[in-house]
Amino acid sequence: MKVIVVKDYNEMSNVATDIMYDVISNKPDCVLGLATGSTPEGLYANLVALYREGKLDFSKVSSVNLDEYYPLAPENDQSYRYFMNTHLFDHVNIDKANTYVPNGLAQDPEAACKAHEDKIDELGGMDIQVLGIGQNGHIGFNEPSDNPIPFTHMENLTESTIKANARFFESEADVPTRALTMGIQSIMKARKIIILASGKSKAAAIKATLKDEPTPRCPASLLYSHPDVTVICDEDAYSLC
Ligand code: PGA
């Protein structure tokens, strides 16, 4: 994995923006693999700014998202569909019909997972996948496990993830305990992967990803075998390496 260590969150967002800018400019009909959470907010704000300056065109772009809480309606302001609309899609000229977030209200979640995986394949895989990283090393909602499920599936969230995400909800009890998520092998379908990390709370996960033996107990470390992964982290996130 390539590693870029930067000073702070803003620099992390700027480096990620430059990489995304190149992908979208060089291939106007590219497929973006997108992530939610606090980490990519700066990146999305930068992309919106570039669009407003006339420097980026999303009209032919498609996107697939990593994950979605289950069960949660897309209109719920904690859903990842809502996040993507409000942080990116509503502000650029992407055709929302070409944006795919797993269906958090699917009657048949297994079928919804298969449909998401099929969509990734139909689109020919992602040109770039953006990832944050959980404090426990999760990517998407692939939690530490001895037997990771390779493709899009339902995942039970760990206590650490529920606690970490409670800040977005009124209380911890409101955080859904399950999610639909791409698997590690779904993520590996991307031709290029960037992992973004900022802050001391991510330092242990970044160390486990970059310095320790790859293990499904730290899902991000399993990306070691992918040929084009760049970890962009700030000094705090890199501080245990
Ligand atoms: P965060 O979440 O960006 O909100 O820190 C990252 C993750 O859990 O994957």
Side-chain angles (χ1 to χ4, degrees):
M1 291 187 195
K2 185 176 161 196
V3 187
I4 301 175
V5 183
V6 295
K7 191 164 75 23
D8 56 17
Y9 179 86
N10 281 342
E11 269 190 36
M12 177 201 75
S13 303
N14 293 342
V15 171
T17 304
D18 289 346
I19 295 171
M20 292 286 275
Y21 176 85
D22 283 346
V23 171
I24 301 167
S25 319
N26 290 328
K27 189 175 175 192
D29 60 348
C30 63
V31 179
L32 304 178
L34 299 176
T36 52
S38 313
T39 308
E41 285 182 10
L43 162 65
Y44 296 152
N46 288 346
L47 293 178
V48 169
L50 286 169
Y51 167 73
R52 289 190 173 140
E53 289 163 22
K55 294 181 180 152
L56 275 181
D57 174 17
F58 291 82
S59 59
K60 299 195 182 78
V61 169
S62 304
S63 70
V64 281
N65 260 79
L66 281 172
D67 48 15
E68 179 62 283
Y69 287 115
Y70 188 87
L72 202 62
E75 300 77 30
N76 188 300
D77 63 6
Q78 292 308 327
S79 77
Y80 288 167
R81 163 53 75 181
Y82 186 91
F83 176 102
M84 289 314 307
N85 287 349
T86 51
H87 286 87
L88 184 63
F89 301 156
D90 285 343
H91 310 292
V92 299
N93 65 336
I94 199 165
D95 180 350
K96 275 198 201 152
N98 296 331
T99 66
Y100 302 94
V101 180
N103 179 2
L105 270 195
Q107 297 259 333
D108 181 348
E110 214 171 292
C113 290
K114 184 173 183 314
H116 197 65
E117 196 69 37
D118 287 349
K119 182 53 72 179
I120 292 169
D121 292 338
E122 188 190 314
L123 292 168
M126 298 71 86
D127 290 290
I128 184 166
Q129 176 66 54
V130 179
L131 296 175
I133 184 168
Q135 294 174 23
N136 61 6
H138 74 210
I139 47 175
F141 271 127
N142 292 279
E143 298 284 32
S145 145
D146 291 324
N147 295 300
I149 303 170
F151 298 108
T152 306
H153 61 281
M154 173 91 84
E155 186 89 14
N156 293 314
L157 306 187
T158 60
E159 216 178 301
S160 127
T161 298
I162 291 170
K163 274 197 186 339
N165 290 5
R167 69 191 195 279
F168 299 113
F169 291 80
E170 275 189 17
S171 76
E172 201 175 308
D174 292 327
V175 184
T177 56
R178 291 179 295 169
L180 309 180
T181 181
M182 285 189 201
I184 303 292
Q185 294 306 320
S186 327
I187 292 168
M188 295 274 239
K189 291 176 180 174
R191 285 175 277 289
K192 181 184 225 15
I193 296 174
I194 55 174
I195 303 178
L196 312 186
S198 169
K200 283 219 162 21
S201 68
K202 302 296 172 69
I206 288 296
K207 175 182 177 284
T209 301
L210 294 175
K211 302 289 177 188
D212 299 342
E213 279 295 304
T215 163
R217 305 305 305 178
C218 174
S221 70
L222 299 176
L223 299 180
Y224 77 95
S225 61
H226 189 284
D228 188 352
V229 179
T230 303
V231 177
I232 307 162
C233 56
D234 66 13
E235 287 168 2
D236 281 345
Y238 195 71
S239 58
L240 293 178
C241 288

